[in-house]
Amino acid sequence: MLKRRLILACSLVAASGVSMAQTYPNKLIKLQVPFAPGGTTDIIARIIADPLGKVLGQSVIVENKAGGGGVVGANETAKSTPDGYSLGIATVSTVAANPAINPKNPYNPLTDFSPIINIAATPNVIAVHPTFPAKDYKAFLAEIKKNPGKYSYASSGTGGIGHMQTELFKSLTGAFITHIPYRGAGPALNDTVGGQVPLIFDNLPSALPFINSNKLVPIVVAAPQRLSQLPNVPTFKEVGLEPVNRMAFYGIYGPKGLPKDVIDKINAGVKKVLEDPAVRKRIEDTGSLVVGNSPEQFAEQIKAEFEVYKKVVDSAKLRLD
């Protein structure tokens, strides 16, 4: 009798999984951005959300949950029900940089999520307010090294990619600038553009409009080669700082235990969206590169990026402020 009950229970669980996959989605889907509005993560999420909702047949709404350099929002995604209705935007900050430097990080980036797809990769940039006394990399480095502690930089949050890469830049150059963390790139950009903070390390898509309108001056970029949008700005590799020359990424993940059929359905939906020339153009116009890989490839990318930043933290002896 017990054996028959166990068989029946297993059959019901299997049937419910099949049923869920067949009916998913049948209600609104939340896509959480772990930063304040206005940053690159928010931009990419909003480019994808509406067309993805049309492909899946249910609305996909973007919610912002800022705090802890992306940790607060990422942790909420990790702890959500694995039914496909609570998804999150995965960034280098949330799955690599912050977990690598923060021993109290509340989730494991390699085991507490179900990777679904990497949407895009994007360059990063150090930019300064137009009143900053230097306008190119050589003069910039000379200015901050000549005046240790005089200048500060804004980032999207403590432990985020902007914080980590700037601290690595400091350790490699011997420069000293003070970190001012914000609850996302949007607020950090606002204060840099407003002149309250003289420089920022940010993802290119959110900084580029201010660069194009001459409200920020680009100094150096993290990218495989010089960018068509900024042809006169060198890469970190060009200036001898290859370890800092790493791009950011923006993907979609859910909590661990997300059914494979649901993962595959979302992955296929995003890939279909990325086939739209208008969507691709909106992403590429930000300076980003469209990716659109498999869940397995994205999982490997997250693992590789985490290992890179763990080595950066250990070798440079980086610590939280």
Side-chain angles (χ1 to χ4, degrees):
M1 181 64 73
L2 178 59
K3 183 177 180 180
R4 293 173 68 181
R5 285 178 179 173
L6 287 172
I7 292 172
L8 177 60
C10 290
S11 298
L12 289 172
V13 169
S16 67
V18 172
S19 175
M20 177 184 172
Q22 289 174 342
T23 60
Y24 177 85
N26 57 23
K27 62 180 181 179
L28 180 147
I29 300 167
K30 179 182 72 174
L31 180 60
Q32 190 167 84
V33 171
F35 300 103
T40 299
T41 315
D42 188 64
I43 292 170
I44 298 296
R46 293 181 190 279
I47 289 174
I48 286 291
D50 185 58
L52 179 59
K54 290 175 181 174
V55 168
L56 294 177
Q58 291 289 340
S59 295
V60 177
I61 61 162
V62 174
E63 288 189 359
N64 297 83
K65 185 84 171 185
V71 168
V72 173
N75 189 48
E76 186 168 298
T77 296
K79 302 300 190 289
S80 62
T81 303
D83 56 9
Y85 295 100
S86 294
L87 306 174
I89 295 289
T91 72
V92 173
S93 291
T94 58
V95 299
N98 221 313
I101 198 173
N102 185 2
K104 296 181 180 179
N105 199 72
Y107 56 82
N108 185 318
L110 307 183
T111 60
D112 287 347
F113 298 102
S114 297
I116 298 174
I117 189 168
N118 185 3
I119 301 166
T122 184
N124 302 303
V125 61
I126 286 182
V128 298
H129 189 268
T131 59
F132 194 84
K135 302 297 187 290
D136 61 67
Y137 178 75
K138 185 176 180 180
F140 167 79
L141 184 60
E143 176 67 20
I144 59 175
K145 291 190 75 172
K146 183 174 67 177
N147 298 285
K150 178 179 178 180
Y151 299 107
S152 57
Y153 74 95
S155 83
S156 61
T158 299
I161 185 173
H163 176 212
M164 289 275 285
Q165 287 193 284
T166 309
E167 291 301 311
L168 180 57
F169 163 79
K170 287 164 56 177
S171 71
L172 294 173
T173 60
F176 176 63
I177 47 179
T178 303
H179 180 216
I180 309 294
Y182 287 80
R183 293 173 65 84
L189 276 164
N190 288 340
D191 273 11
T192 309
V193 170
Q196 285 91 341
V197 186
L199 61 121
I200 187 171
F201 188 111
D202 190 30
N203 307 129
L204 184 64
S206 45
L208 190 58
F210 298 105
I211 292 171
N212 289 339
S213 60
N214 299 315
K215 294 178 180 177
L216 289 176
V217 179
I219 299 297
V220 58
V221 296
Q225 60 266 334
R226 290 202 182 197
L227 305 171
S228 59
Q229 296 93 335
L230 304 172
N232 298 319
V233 180
T235 67
F236 280 102
K237 182 177 180 179
E238 283 183 75
V239 300
L241 299 173
E242 189 165 2
V244 194
N245 203 50
R246 303 194 64 78
M247 296 175 72
F249 63 66
Y250 304 90
I252 295 178
Y253 59 5
K256 67 179 178 182
L258 203 59
K260 185 180 186 303
D261 287 347
V262 172
I263 291 173
D264 291 343
K265 193 163 190 177
I266 299 167
N267 180 277
V270 175
K271 284 182 176 177
K272 186 171 180 61
V273 168
L274 294 176
E275 291 173 359
D276 184 340
V279 172
R280 292 183 71 91
K281 185 177 187 303
R282 289 182 67 192
I283 292 173
E284 289 168 351
D285 282 350
T286 68
S288 301
L289 308 174
V290 174
V291 179
N293 57 8
S294 70
E296 294 77 18
Q297 289 170 328
F298 190 32
E300 283 302 312
Q301 189 174 7
I302 288 171
K303 181 181 177 183
E305 205 69 11
F306 173 73
E307 289 174 351
V308 164
Y309 278 94
K310 192 65 180 147
K311 287 179 182 176
V312 166
V313 168
D314 292 343
S315 62
K317 295 182 172 56
L318 299 180
R319 297 292 180 266
L320 289 175
D321 293 342

